[in-house]
Amino acid sequence: MARTEFLAYGLPLIEADDIEGVVDSLKSNWITKGPKTAEFEQQFAAYVGAKYAVAVNSCTAALHLALVAAGIKAGDEVITTPMTFAASANVVIHTGATPVFVDIDPVTMNIDVKQIRAKLTPRTKAIIPVHIAGHPCELDELMALAREFNLFVLEDAAHAVYTQYKGRMIGSIGNATAFSFYATKNLATGEGGMVTTDDAELADKVRVMSSHGMSRNAWNRYTATGSWFYEVLYPGYKDNMTDIQAALGISQLAKLERMQGIRRDIAAMYQAAFKTMPELEIPVELDYARHAWHLYIIKLNLATLSIDRAQFIEELKAEQIGTSVHFIPVHFHPYYRDTYGYQPGDFPQAEAVYERIISLPLYPKMSEQDAQDVIEAVKRVIARSRR
Ligand SMILES: *Cc1c(COP(=O)(O)O)cnc(C)c1O
């Protein structure tokens, strides 16, 4: 039986404690960066096992500020993957540097570390690996390569709060890691992001750059012990988090394990239901990985079906199931195509996978029945369109 009510592709889980935290923040008069932001930073650093965490207003800002703090500038090249949200590459351009794409491993859809070496030049200064869907990249190999060539590793962990690589938390491995707390991410503050690092100087520079390049932030200035004096050390940005967001961050972090448990249960239901279907390739969780299950991405085996990915999505929509596609390869977007002259065929693995991928609903607000409905809808679409 098809659903009568549309199942949204993604929704945040906002409960009474989240609402109380935000109201508390509003009543405290600290509505921008203040004590709750500091508390969230401390808790988040402890959670991922990093020495420092700096809260900002998005993962895009986190990525950008980390690159700026690392000294990435015009003339430099930064390696990343085409299979990501455009922000991972846009921020490189914001610094004046050039993004250089390296094709993906078709199984995990993460950057193929073995192909990075061939793309290095004397101008290469950094690598931005992206842990797609919450599955970690092969970080030992990547970090070894980075050490050999003295490259700054900035992990895009927008999908990877909770992810582990060989038992180590993402956020404690690269030179810096950027997290997203956007509405649909595993930990949601509406908009928000975080930079984690063990490098005191880098953390300090990100903090200063996130607040106009000022030597003191408003919290220090306006409390009784603060002073009116500040100095602008750099022409900084306005990227700080607010206490209203941090209040949500604190309550969301407190329930992250529970939310992740629900994600894992739903992912396990999907895996069990789809693993014997020749029309689908299901996601993997390799031996070294603890998956955050931010996304559940199926790959259609198109040769077994009479419809393409776009039609499959339409069929699921008719079954009242919302879906998405992660991601349109960055080099396909007009800006990248026109500016850098990319052609179809430049990143064959990313392009081939792109034709086949659909992200199914997976979030803690879903019920077991919702997940069952997704499974049945997928099976009905396949039954109708089997070749
Ligand atoms: C969501 C996302 C971002 C950007 O996060 P914002 O917090 O919205 O700036 C960056 N990279 C990836 C891979 C993402 O999915």
Side-chain angles (χ1 to χ4, degrees):
M1 266 267 291
R3 286 174 65 98
T4 49
E5 209 181 304
F6 190 73
L7 179 67
Y9 165 69
L11 292 173
L13 184 68
I14 301 298
E15 299 175 316
D17 57 332
D18 301 296
I19 292 164
E20 277 163 31
V22 170
V23 169
D24 187 55
S25 172
L26 293 172
K27 286 180 175 166
S28 78
N29 288 329
W30 276 110
I31 59 171
T32 185
K33 183 172 176 160
K36 281 195 200 281
T37 304
E39 187 184 337
F40 183 39
E41 287 173 339
Q42 275 160 20
Q43 290 182 0
F44 197 83
Y47 175 68
V48 302
K51 282 194 184 142
Y52 309 98
V54 183
V56 290
N57 59 13
S58 70
C59 180
T60 305
L63 291 164
H64 176 239
L65 292 173
L67 290 179
V68 169
I72 305 301
K73 58 184 189 315
D76 295 341
E77 292 175 1
V78 177
I79 303 267
T80 191
T81 164
M83 188 46 81
T84 185
F85 184 56
S88 320
N90 286 347
V91 294
V92 174
I93 298 169
H94 297 164
T95 68
T98 303
V100 174
F101 297 113
V102 167
D103 208 354
I104 59 164
D105 168 328
V107 175
T108 61
M109 298 192 281
N110 284 330
I111 192 166
D112 182 354
V113 178
K114 295 196 165 43
Q115 294 192 48
I116 294 177
R117 195 177 285 266
K119 294 289 188 92
L120 298 178
T121 76
R123 293 180 297 281
T124 312
K125 295 289 157 55
I127 309 177
I128 305 178
V130 183
H131 307 296
I132 284 291
H135 191 289
C137 296
E138 179 37 276
L139 283 174
D140 277 349
E141 278 176 40
L142 189 133
M143 294 304 292
L145 188 76
R147 271 192 298 276
E148 185 181 339
F149 292 94
N150 194 28
L151 305 174
F152 180 73
V153 175
L154 168 58
E155 293 169 61
D156 180 335
H159 303 176
V161 63
Y162 185 82
T163 299
Q164 289 181 351
Y165 172 77
K166 295 189 179 170
R168 291 145 73 200
M169 289 295 284
I170 295 301
S172 68
I173 300 173
N175 298 97
T177 306
F179 292 89
S180 175
F181 310 131
Y182 180 69
T184 57
K185 300 284 159 70
N186 288 30
L187 188 165
T189 65
E191 302 282 353
M194 191 79 82
V195 178
T196 63
T197 182
D198 283 349
D199 181 336
E201 213 177 305
L202 190 90
D204 194 51
K205 188 140 188 206
V206 168
R207 191 178 297 283
V208 168
M209 292 304 275
S210 74
S211 239
H212 307 287
M214 282 175 4
S215 61
R216 281 164 177 274
N217 63 36
W219 188 28
N220 292 333
R221 280 195 288 132
Y222 298 127
T223 52
T225 53
S227 101
W228 55 271
F229 188 75
Y230 65 89
E231 288 174 301
V232 172
L233 306 178
Y234 315 96
Y237 303 87
K238 187 61 170 67
D239 287 341
N240 61 277
M241 184 174 271
T242 71
D243 267 26
I244 301 172
Q245 293 164 310
L248 268 176
I250 291 165
S251 54
Q252 291 269 302
L253 186 59
K255 68 177 95 185
L256 186 64
E257 289 289 325
R258 172 164 63 91
M259 293 197 292
Q260 289 297 141
I262 301 170
R263 283 183 183 273
R264 178 163 287 272
D265 289 349
I266 295 172
M269 280 176 71
Y270 287 167
Q271 295 288 67
F274 299 143
K275 71 175 178 228
T276 55
M277 304 198 72
E279 294 82 8
L280 301 180
E281 188 182 326
I282 59 172
V284 294
E285 185 174 30
L286 297 179
D287 287 344
Y288 61 70
R290 182 172 83 170
H291 206 309
W293 297 112
H294 170 57
L295 304 174
Y296 187 89
I297 303 177
I298 53 170
K299 301 186 191 111
L300 304 178
N301 288 327
L302 292 169
T304 67
L305 296 167
S306 59
I307 56 173
D308 67 9
R309 187 265 314 275
Q311 288 167 297
F312 204 106
I313 285 175
E314 288 308 309
E315 294 274 337
L316 283 175
K317 199 194 273 174
E319 294 272 355
Q320 308 278 23
I321 305 297
T323 58
S324 189
V325 173
H326 299 90
F327 289 97
I328 302 164
V330 180
H331 68 290
F332 277 3
H333 289 300
Y335 176 83
Y336 285 86
R337 218 176 46 213
D338 298 347
T339 307
Y340 302 104
Y342 288 121
Q343 306 275 345
D346 284 346
F347 304 100
Q349 300 294 355
E351 294 169 23
V353 132
Y354 167 58
E355 298 293 328
R356 305 169 53 203
I357 49 177
I358 300 177
S359 302
L360 299 179
L362 173 59
Y363 48 97
K365 210 176 175 178
M366 281 172 70
S367 67
E368 205 176 311
Q369 186 60 51
D370 291 334
Q372 204 55 51
D373 289 347
V374 173
I375 290 168
E376 280 161 24
V378 168
K379 286 186 169 174
R380 274 196 298 271
V381 172
I382 287 174
R384 289 201 290 272
S385 53
R386 207 171 259 135
R387 204 192 271 284

